[in-house]
Amino acid sequence: MSGVTPAEYVRTHREELTALALDLLAIDTSNPPGKTREIVAEIERFLEPLPVDIERFAVDPAKPNLLVRVPGDSDNTLLYNGHLDTVPFDADDWVHDPLGERVDDRVYGRGATDMKGAVASMLFTVRAFAATDTDPPVDLLFAFVSDEEVGGDPGLPALLEAGRLDADACVIGEPTCEGGRHSVTVADRGSIWLTLEASGEGAHGSRPVLGVNAVDRLYDAVETLRERFGTERLEIDPDVLPIVDESVEYYAPSMGEATARELFRYPSINLGVLEGGDAINSVPQSARAEVDVRLTAGVDTADVLARIRECVADCEGITIADVSWSVGTTEAPDSPLVEAVASTAEAVTGDRVFRRSATGGGDAKKLRNAGIRTVEFALGTDTVHAPDEHVPLDALVDNAVVYARLPTTWRSRTDQ
């Protein structure tokens, strides 16, 4: 299609892009169980007529991943990543079909915005380059992965372990917009997941003074953690402070400026699980809690964990049964990748694109720790994981336009 750019092709074929999104939504990939064989086969059928290299990679036959390569005009490689599984849904809670329904200018369905919509936009980007006979200015690698929603090993970790993701930079199609505000996420937070166990002394519920309540001990220990660490201002690397400031500005309209600032300036501590006791009329002699601590990127997670261990050691009858932790990661806000994604998205949408931190962490952290510069970007809605999850048709199109324009912009930034 001589003279037509990939971005122009996308805009003139929006109905086909919409149909592709609906085809992906029609396949249930709820996780658990998270089976992706059917949707991978559907993607393979879509790509089969195109002159691209396709490889199915699986360590779990029920959860294959798909790699798609589009050769370009330089040795640099830009990776696009999207996950194919979704969280489960209860159809009774939905007004619209959770397996895909178009209503006016919206597409509804589980995964519409997280993130089968963005996957459809990425796939249509592949088609747009092929249909317009355009060689991208850099090599493009697309990784459509399984098991992201539960953090399972068969997906992205398997590809990294096998060395199949040789790329210089990556864009993950996670939705990064809410309330009409657009952003590119350039950081994630560190985490400490603690399993605490408490021991006490059993007694009859009518004579609690004769026992030691393990649940009370455990709850007091969690409150001690909150008082000692939750009110302690974090020591954040100065290079991360601009990200914090922009993150606060981004989240302020939805949660208030003071709450947004507290979210990044202090640890967040959530008691997610509390178990103990056998009967209402018995003093529990054992209890268990799972506590989620989050720390802004640029904070020394190991140092915080060491002080948490000291704190728990001071709590009588409390032990740490299990712990896992991670360090927050960042991509410099002025890096070629961030500049390319933000400027391209701003040109397409006409709106400001914030450069902010995610509140949690996911595949971006895994890729950054593997040495691949990574950001997240996709236009969408704040209906992630909710009933009647949806995405506007314009967002599907604009995402594909951004993804199609991005290789040229990124190449120009890296050449500077």
Side-chain angles (χ1 to χ4, degrees):
M1 190 176 292
S2 178
V4 177
T5 68
E8 290 169 339
Y9 178 89
V10 169
R11 292 208 180 278
T12 57
H13 292 78
R14 61 184 288 134
E15 291 300 318
E16 294 166 54
L17 170 54
T18 303
L20 173 60
L22 288 167
D23 287 342
L24 300 182
L25 291 168
I27 302 170
D28 187 355
T29 56
S30 299
N31 201 357
K35 297 179 180 178
T36 56
R37 283 177 295 187
E38 186 178 352
I39 195 170
V40 164
E42 179 66 26
I43 293 172
E44 288 171 333
R45 283 191 290 271
F46 175 80
L47 294 172
E48 194 276 332
L50 307 180
V52 295
D53 180 27
I54 304 169
E55 177 189 2
R56 184 185 289 213
F57 181 91
V59 295
D60 179 345
K63 299 179 178 182
N65 310 289
L66 197 66
L67 297 173
V68 184
R69 293 177 175 84
V70 181
D73 291 334
S74 83
D75 293 334
N76 291 334
T77 299
L78 179 61
L79 169 66
Y80 295 82
N81 169 252
H83 65 82
L84 303 174
D85 60 323
T86 71
V87 295
F89 61 87
D90 184 344
D92 292 339
D93 295 334
W94 289 60
V95 173
H96 301 286
D97 189 345
L99 293 180
E101 179 182 353
R102 177 178 178 175
V103 179
D104 299 326
D105 62 348
R106 290 180 175 180
V107 169
Y108 289 84
R110 174 57 79 225
T113 197
D114 180 25
M115 57 177 292
K116 290 181 180 178
V119 168
S121 297
M122 290 178 179
L123 288 167
F124 216 75
T125 299
V126 177
R127 178 170 165 178
F129 275 100
T132 59
D133 197 24
T134 302
D135 292 330
V138 297
D139 289 345
L140 304 182
L141 174 61
F142 295 79
F144 302 111
V145 304
S146 66
D147 232 23
E148 189 273 348
E149 293 291 0
V150 298
D153 291 336
L156 184 69
L159 290 170
L160 289 171
E161 178 69 21
R164 309 310 289 267
L165 298 180
D166 185 10
D168 300 285
C170 175
V171 177
I172 301 177
E174 290 286 358
T176 55
C177 308
E178 62 179 50
R181 297 182 305 285
H182 307 321
S183 74
V184 52
T185 60
V186 301
D188 53 57
R189 298 168 81 197
S191 63
I192 301 173
W193 285 4
L194 297 165
T195 300
L196 303 178
E197 291 183 351
S199 60
E201 296 180 16
H204 195 279
S206 65
R207 300 184 295 274
V209 294
L210 300 181
V212 178
N213 192 308
V215 172
D216 287 345
R217 274 185 166 178
L218 192 55
Y219 192 80
D220 287 346
V222 174
E223 286 301 290
T224 300
L225 286 175
R226 284 174 170 155
E227 291 169 5
R228 188 175 299 187
F229 296 101
T231 60
E232 182 179 292
R233 189 179 174 109
L234 295 169
E235 294 184 8
I236 301 173
D237 189 310
D239 291 340
V240 181
L241 289 176
I243 300 175
V244 170
D245 290 341
E246 200 143 340
S247 301
V248 171
E249 188 177 357
Y250 174 82
Y251 287 108
S254 63
M255 63 178 67
E257 182 176 350
T259 300
R261 192 168 298 280
E262 182 176 319
L263 184 65
F264 290 98
R265 290 289 187 172
Y266 297 87
S268 60
I269 302 175
N270 179 61
L271 174 58
V273 174
L274 180 62
E275 299 174 340
D278 299 314
I280 191 172
N281 61 344
S282 296
V283 175
Q285 59 183 353
S286 65
R288 171 181 168 274
E290 295 181 15
V291 181
D292 181 354
V293 181
R294 300 295 174 115
L295 306 166
T296 300
V299 173
D300 187 341
T301 306
D303 176 65
V304 175
L305 177 57
R307 290 187 288 123
I308 286 176
R309 289 185 183 278
E310 292 175 0
C311 178
V312 172
D314 292 338
C315 298
E316 187 175 359
I318 306 297
T319 58
I320 297 177
D322 190 30
V323 62
S324 62
W325 59 282
S326 69
V327 178
T329 63
T330 62
E331 176 65 24
D334 59 353
S335 74
L337 176 63
V338 176
E339 288 281 359
V341 175
S343 64
T344 303
E346 286 174 346
V348 171
T349 64
D351 296 322
R352 177 183 177 181
V353 174
F354 291 85
R355 306 169 191 211
R356 53 104 176 171
S357 173
T359 57
D363 280 350
K365 184 191 298 287
K366 296 182 182 74
L367 287 160
R368 292 188 190 116
N369 285 334
I372 301 174
R373 296 183 180 276
T374 301
V375 299
E376 297 173 330
F377 173 79
L379 304 171
T381 64
D382 51 5
T383 58
V384 175
H385 297 188
D388 290 317
E389 179 181 351
H390 63 269
V391 63
L393 301 186
D394 285 346
L396 291 177
V397 173
D398 285 349
N399 280 334
V401 170
V402 170
Y403 298 150
R405 290 183 179 179
L406 184 58
T408 299
T409 311
W410 180 61
R411 172 69 183 273
S412 67
R413 293 292 192 277
T414 57
D415 286 345
Q416 290 178 359

